[in-house]
Amino acid sequence: MGTPAFPDLGKHCSVEDCNLIDFLPFTCDRCDKVFCLQHRSYAKHLCPNANQMDVTVLVCPLCAQGVRLVPNEDPNITWDLHVNGDCDPSNYQKATKKKRCPVPGCKEILVFSNTIRCKSCTQEYCLRHRFGPDHNCLGPRKPDRGLPFKGVLRSQKGNSTPNQTSNGSSKWSSSILNAASSIMASAEAGMQRLGIATNQALQKAKDGMAQGSGVNSDPVERCTQCQARFTNVTALIEHVEKVHERKVKEAPAPNRVIVDVCPRCSKAFRDPVLLVEHVEKDHRGFSKS
């Protein structure tokens, strides 16, 4: 039976009860037998190798990995081989713990398609809470308001060497450090003087010393530059502003000398940097009495 163009034409069905001659038979890809149209499926001709190509995967409850069952093998043996071999319980948290939206009460799982990063607080949220009012955005972190050159100056002072002044780059960096140190020292000295004057005025007001500001009262305030005595703080401040500050402003640039006084020991310094170093070294950084 058959022709050169169709050599399989007219074969018998392999089912014994059927044995039908089929001009267009079907060959089973598992058992390689020929069947008719009625018995071509695995279930109809009871194919013994029907489950060889099936893929059955079980999820391990210990490591959350997939375990593939091997055909014609006992599932218990496959399970024992997995538990005693490549089972890693530490992988369970990585596989099951999914990233969620940090908004309280929101259980939305964050994936690539629904994740939005806030530009203000730089945290990731779902699409429903992507705007600032929806997740109570606190905004960007506030910058430090301290003096930015303080740590740089200390590190440069500890690591500086005499050979660095010979290079042009070292001179340029030293000039920048000197300017920053002068700014820092003048700012700290001004804040210290203002704080000391305010504290003294408040203390004397509490003690009742401000009431004795008449002509016959004893002078209790002394100018640190000319040793003049005054009865109250207000007169001392007016004296310094009118006499000493005006002289400093009117003096020519080469003869102008700025003197800063230590608020604790009344020691005078011409360089504000030396005053800062004196307070940190001798008074352990505390300028208030």
Side-chain angles (χ1 to χ4, degrees):
M1 292 183 296
T3 61
F6 300 97
D8 297 333
L9 187 64
K11 290 186 178 181
H12 292 273
C13 181
S14 298
V15 179
E16 295 180 357
D17 297 338
C18 178
N19 201 17
L20 179 66
I21 299 177
D22 197 335
F23 291 99
L24 295 174
F26 297 90
T27 303
C28 181
D29 57 350
R30 306 293 173 83
C31 59
D32 296 332
K33 293 183 180 180
V34 179
F35 298 96
C36 62
L37 178 64
Q38 184 180 357
H39 298 97
R40 71 183 186 277
S41 61
Y42 302 143
K44 291 294 183 180
H45 65 267
L46 302 177
C47 184
N49 302 326
N51 60 348
Q52 289 183 355
M53 301 298 293
D54 294 341
V55 178
T56 303
V57 179
L58 299 178
V59 179
C60 178
L62 301 178
C63 62
Q65 293 182 358
V67 181
R68 180 177 178 179
L69 298 181
V70 181
N72 299 328
E73 186 180 44
D74 190 1
N76 295 324
I77 298 176
T78 306
W79 175 257
D80 291 339
L81 293 175
H82 168 71
V83 172
N84 298 326
D86 57 349
C87 184
D88 186 9
S90 62
N91 187 53
Y92 184 82
Q93 293 293 336
K94 298 179 182 179
T96 57
K97 187 177 181 181
K98 298 180 180 179
K99 190 174 183 181
R100 298 180 182 272
C101 182
V103 177
C106 183
K107 298 181 180 180
E108 185 73 18
I109 298 175
L110 297 180
V111 294
F112 177 77
S113 59
N114 68 339
T115 302
I116 300 296
R117 182 180 296 275
C118 181
K119 295 182 179 180
S120 299
C121 59
T122 65
Q123 292 188 7
E124 294 181 349
Y125 299 93
C126 62
L127 295 177
R128 187 173 58 180
H129 301 101
R130 64 185 182 274
F131 297 110
D134 297 334
H135 60 263
N136 297 327
C137 184
L138 300 177
R141 184 179 179 182
K142 295 182 180 180
D144 190 7
R145 294 184 179 180
L147 296 175
F149 301 101
K150 191 171 184 179
V152 178
L153 290 175
R154 291 180 178 178
S155 62
Q156 291 293 335
K157 288 179 182 178
N159 299 328
S160 61
T161 57
N163 296 329
Q164 291 180 355
T165 58
S166 60
N167 298 330
S169 60
S170 61
K171 292 181 179 179
W172 180 77
S173 60
S174 62
S175 62
I176 293 179
L177 293 176
N178 292 333
S181 63
S182 62
I183 294 173
M184 180 186 68
S186 60
E188 290 183 353
M191 293 176 65
Q192 290 173 3
R193 288 195 295 268
L194 179 61
I196 292 172
T198 304
N199 293 334
Q200 290 178 356
L202 292 175
Q203 185 66 27
K204 291 176 181 179
K206 291 180 181 179
D207 296 340
M209 297 182 65
Q211 298 178 359
S213 60
V215 180
N216 297 326
S217 61
D218 296 333
V220 294
E221 298 295 339
R222 184 178 62 181
C223 180
T224 58
Q225 299 185 18
C226 63
Q227 304 301 325
R229 290 182 175 271
F230 300 91
T231 57
N232 53 17
V233 180
T234 305
L236 175 61
I237 294 176
E238 292 179 355
H239 164 72
V240 173
E241 291 179 351
K242 291 180 179 179
V243 178
H244 300 290
E245 291 187 359
R246 181 178 297 177
K247 289 182 179 180
V248 172
K249 292 180 180 178
E250 294 176 356
N255 299 327
R256 183 178 299 176
V257 178
I258 300 175
V259 179
D260 293 317
V261 181
C262 178
R264 298 203 67 179
C265 61
S266 300
K267 188 176 181 180
F269 296 91
R270 293 186 178 181
D271 192 356
V273 179
L274 298 178
L275 174 59
V276 175
E277 293 179 353
H278 163 71
V279 173
E280 294 180 352
K281 181 179 180 181
D282 298 341
H283 304 297
R284 296 182 179 178
F286 296 96
S287 60
K288 294 183 180 180
S289 57

